[in-house]
Amino acid sequence: MAAPQEAGFRFDNSWARSLPGSFLPLPPDAAPQPQIVVLNHALAAELGLDADVLAANPGWFAGGSLPPGAEPIALAYAGHQFGGFSPQLGDGRAHLLGEFIGPDGARRDLQLKGSGRTPFSRGGDGKAALGPMLREYLISEAMAALGVPTTRSLAVALTGEDIWREAGRLPGAVVARVAASHIRVGSFQFFAARGEVEKLRALAEYAIARHDPDLAGQDGRYLAFLDRVIDRQARLIAHWMGLGFVHGVMNTDNMALSGETIDYGPCAFMEGYAPGTVFSSIDRQGRYAYANQPLILGWNLARLAEALLPLMGEDQEAAVAVLNTALGGIAGRYREAWVALMRAKLGLAGADAGDGDLADALLVAMAGQGADWTLTFRRLADAAAGDDSSLRPLFADFTAMAEWLPRWRARLAPEAAVLMRAVNPAVIPRNHLVEAALTAAQEDGDIAPFRALLAEVTDPYRDGAREPFSLPAPQGFGDYITFCGT
Ligand code: AMP
Ligand code: MG
């Protein structure tokens, strides 16, 4: 009996229609034995999709069949990777199946990652292992629950094929990703590097129509669009910083103009506060370290501004000047977003000119103390309610904190503890638990720890007994190292 086909996808593939020269049409590889490992029922419902029909069609997710209306393509893009420019990257192991319109009227991309080689694969096999695809699912869903703009994960499916990695033979898998779009800084760099100004213009118009339609047709819209991207990205990176999130590979091809977090590779959450925290095995210089992320934000957006330059009119000198002015505002915009976020995290009443200094002073008091980032904020809520006994043991030496607390208490909002518990998570994806869950799934075929962890990280603010999910890695866990492109 044929599987039912009407899942409720209303495809309308505007990228393929609007941007010739920026993609290649080609289908995902056929999976020998497609099997869904995890399906996001809540997201399916939100998107107006019938989860039973999705579940009945594992080939849609692992490769081998397509939902009606999908027109798979691999996108071309360029990008600066660790500061070095590659004029041609592109979807080397991903296929954009198309865009579908949800019940809210919003257009979203449906993309498979790990779905086979494309002309953009370079040396890669076009495949992905189960562990990293489950990592993308877990972290993106945790981020969504934490209120961070992010791509979502609809499913992870096994292909039934083994792949080879340094670790040996691993089960091949695909993640189905849902995104506001896959327009990257690197998408603009691709046409700019080739000097294809009309295609660059078409991409800019497309991006504006998709993300900032109110700007369409206006004079000065490219600059206004850059300004919107700056605003979205500044707020996004502030969100990451507030959570101790380290993306790990903030290359320009991994920065989406939608303002969503994209590409969960070597990402991880910082535990003990240390500005230089790096997890990625390949980031030896610490380019994408925790505290560098706001600087890389500016660097990446400067690359976007450069790519937009050919669209900015005849007088290029004047164009450089206005773009520089826009770029010069990034640090301030980021700071504003960060201070606003810290006000909420710290439960402050209204806004005061000294709030940024107060937040900075907290970081100074935390530095070198090994204090867990997440637990410090969560337990500050207890301290706001008058009890700092849970906070004290997080610090090797509490002297600096003891000096800081009265300054903070003087600024507290009424009901601060309640407000703080609604924005400071009790549970984040703890590295040791993520690792254990992925290992169990990938090596032993046991998905239960992954499901248990997923349930916890997608309910991050709930009070109550949340051990072991709320606790940092035990002493013996050591430095956490992550790997990308796996
Ligand atoms: P990333 O920085 O991890 O987002 O990936 C950078 C580029 O490498 C992208 O163009 C990917 O499509 C490509 N890539 C990563 N892993 C593979 C793989 N196993 N096979 C082919 N291409 C890959
Ligand atoms: Mg990428």
Side-chain angles (χ1 to χ4, degrees):
M1 200 181 72
Q5 298 282 294
E6 283 310 317
F9 284 116
R10 284 193 289 145
F11 278 103
D12 176 54
N13 305 322
S14 67
W15 188 297
R17 215 165 45 227
S18 315
L19 299 169
S22 72
F23 64 89
L24 294 166
L26 81 165
D29 283 358
Q33 224 180 338
Q35 186 194 334
I36 293 176
V37 179
V38 48
L39 179 64
N40 196 334
H41 288 259
L43 180 62
E46 207 178 297
L47 299 176
L49 304 174
D50 184 334
D52 292 335
V53 177
L54 300 181
N57 288 280
W60 291 358
F61 299 108
S65 57
L66 291 170
E71 296 174 276
I73 58 178
L75 303 186
Y77 50 82
H80 278 90
Q81 300 185 301
F82 291 91
F85 186 63
S86 297
Q88 181 154 319
L89 293 167
D91 289 333
R93 55 167 175 171
H95 295 78
L96 177 62
L97 296 188
E99 303 139 39
F100 65 100
I101 314 297
D104 56 358
R107 174 182 298 274
R108 294 180 180 86
D109 282 4
L110 179 62
Q111 193 215 51
L112 300 186
K113 178 167 165 181
S115 44
R117 283 184 55 81
T118 76
F120 307 117
S121 299
R122 296 171 290 164
D125 63 357
K127 306 288 180 175
L130 178 61
M133 297 302 98
L134 287 175
R135 177 198 295 277
E136 169 140 354
Y137 188 109
L138 183 85
I139 309 291
S140 65
E141 291 308 300
M143 293 287 265
L146 289 162
V148 185
T150 177
T151 62
R152 302 291 303 270
S153 296
L154 184 57
V156 171
L158 286 163
T159 59
E161 177 183 72
D162 285 340
I163 64 165
W164 291 92
R165 290 290 180 267
E166 227 172 291
R169 203 179 160 94
L170 297 171
V174 176
V175 65
R177 171 156 86 181
V178 174
S181 83
H182 283 83
I183 307 171
R184 307 154 188 267
V185 171
S187 311
F188 282 82
Q189 291 180 291
F190 178 74
F191 287 134
R194 295 160 71 97
E196 297 184 318
V197 177
E198 284 323 304
K199 287 178 182 167
L200 182 68
R201 191 183 311 280
L203 177 62
E205 296 296 346
Y206 179 82
I208 288 169
R210 204 153 164 187
H211 294 300
D212 298 284
D214 58 307
L215 300 179
Q218 283 189 20
D219 286 346
R221 60 189 172 278
Y222 304 131
L223 183 63
F225 178 63
L226 176 66
D227 196 65
R228 296 282 178 88
V229 175
I230 290 173
D231 187 60
R232 286 193 281 268
Q233 281 292 334
R235 283 185 288 120
L236 178 66
I237 307 305
H239 255 298
W240 292 0
M241 297 302 282
L243 289 165
F245 178 76
V246 182
H247 181 281
V249 57
M250 280 179 80
N251 293 333
T252 57
D253 54 304
N254 291 336
M255 186 175 265
L257 273 57
S258 63
E260 289 181 340
T261 313
I262 188 168
D263 270 4
Y264 293 90
C267 61
F269 288 80
M270 173 175 71
E271 297 209 311
Y273 170 62
T277 300
V278 175
F279 297 106
S280 170
S281 61
I282 56 171
D283 192 1
R284 293 196 187 84
Q285 313 286 324
R287 179 180 173 89
Y288 300 138
Y290 172 74
N292 267 358
Q293 296 182 122
L295 299 173
I296 295 296
L297 160 79
W299 196 90
N300 285 353
L301 293 175
R303 304 291 80 77
L304 176 63
E306 278 166 13
L308 291 173
L309 191 54
L311 305 181
M312 299 291 293
E314 296 282 287
D315 187 346
Q316 289 278 289
E317 223 169 286
V320 168
V322 292
L323 289 172
N324 273 333
T325 304
L327 295 172
I330 293 174
R333 301 274 282 277
Y334 167 75
R335 175 76 181 172
E336 207 178 300
W338 185 79
V339 172
L341 191 98
M342 292 304 279
R343 276 193 189 107
K345 285 180 76 69
L346 293 174
L348 306 187
D352 185 278
D355 292 344
D357 287 347
L358 182 68
D360 289 338
L362 171 63
L363 300 193
V364 171
M366 289 176 74
Q369 295 299 320
D372 183 80
W373 178 265
T374 304
L375 288 182
T376 296
F377 286 93
R378 186 74 181 180
R379 293 185 184 176
L380 273 170
D382 300 339
D387 175 12
D388 62 20
S389 65
S390 65
L391 186 65
R392 285 178 176 272
L394 298 177
F395 289 76
D397 178 347
F398 201 65
T399 316
M401 270 306 276
E403 281 167 23
W404 180 83
L405 287 174
R407 264 182 82 186
W408 167 65
R409 285 214 166 90
R411 286 282 300 113
L412 280 179
E415 306 294 331
V418 175
L419 299 172
M420 291 173 72
R421 288 192 189 104
V423 295
N424 293 304
V427 171
I428 51 150
R430 295 279 177 184
N431 301 325
H432 64 297
L433 298 177
V434 172
E435 215 45 46
L438 301 188
T439 302
Q442 188 165 264
E443 289 176 15
D444 311 327
D446 178 9
I447 195 75
F450 175 85
R451 288 193 187 287
L453 183 57
L454 180 66
E456 290 289 334
V457 301
T458 51
D459 184 14
Y461 302 115
R462 185 167 49 79
D463 242 327
R466 306 213 49 185
E467 295 84 7
F469 298 98
S470 56
L471 297 179
Q475 284 294 333
F477 186 65
D479 285 344
Y480 188 52
I481 299 172
T482 56
F483 302 90
C484 64
T486 51

